[in-house]
Amino acid sequence: MTSRLIVNSIRHTGASSDAITLDSAGKCSFPNGGAGKILQVVHTAKTSEFTHSTTSYTDLTGVSASITPQTNSKVLVILNLHGYVEFNGHSSGEGYGIQLVRTPSGGSGTNIHTSANKFEVYGYTDTGNIQSGIRSSWHFLDSSVGGDGSTAITYKVQVANYTASMIRYSQDGNLSSITLMEVGA
């Protein structure tokens, strides 16, 4: 036995507008945004080189993006970084860690994620130096955005090296990027 409910829209008794509407083909839409729906996407790509040679966190120039989320939305942040690490003779370890900082327009920055540690890549050479490319990716869901639909929020990436050796980010035009996706509440 099958049951069927035939409607054009669904609305809560206390709401002033429909939460779900259906067109004549039966496809539904969420006029008020809808939970889990991707409301907007912002993407910034960087291919110009940035060098860093300290163990302190510093802004990664060019890897930031701004978004204006609605009230109660979440923001999915996707980071892709490309770095070149140089090993100076014999065995050595090197790598980098990241911090993700959220700053509302006109406000101060809040560190919302720091990698657990500065991951290490090992290299070995008997003579001279060798370089190794590192492609790393992070995904972070920011559930405490505090958007109001009119205030831009900037997400920026900071990097810190495992040692004081130099790391070159986006060397030779390799892509580093940040993508922000607003997820409806």
Side-chain angles (χ1 to χ4, degrees), residues 103-108 152:
T103 307
S105 180
S108 59

Side-chain angles (χ1 to χ4, degrees), residues 28 31 33 55 135 172:
C28 65
T55 58
R135 168 83 48 203
D172 297 330

Side-chain angles (χ1 to χ4, degrees), residues 33-34 36-42 67-77 141-142 145 147-149 155 179-185:
K37 183 177 179 181
I38 301 299
L39 303 177
Q40 62 175 311
V41 177
V42 177
I67 193 166
T68 306
Q70 301 298 313
T71 304
N72 298 323
S73 286
K74 298 176 183 179
V75 175
L76 177 62
V77 182
L141 183 63
D142 187 4
V145 178
D148 61 9
Y155 289 85
T179 304
L180 308 177
M181 296 183 184
E182 180 184 358
V183 182

Side-chain angles (χ1 to χ4, degrees), residues 144-167:
S144 57
V145 178
D148 61 9
S150 62
T151 302
I153 296 175
T154 300
Y155 289 85
K156 67 180 178 178
V157 177
Q158 296 180 333
V159 291
N161 295 10
Y162 181 76
T163 70
S165 297
M166 183 180 296
I167 295 182

Side-chain angles (χ1 to χ4, degrees), residues 101-114:
V101 177
R102 176 186 65 221
T103 307
S105 180
S108 59
T110 301
N111 178 9
I112 59 172
H113 176 71
T114 300

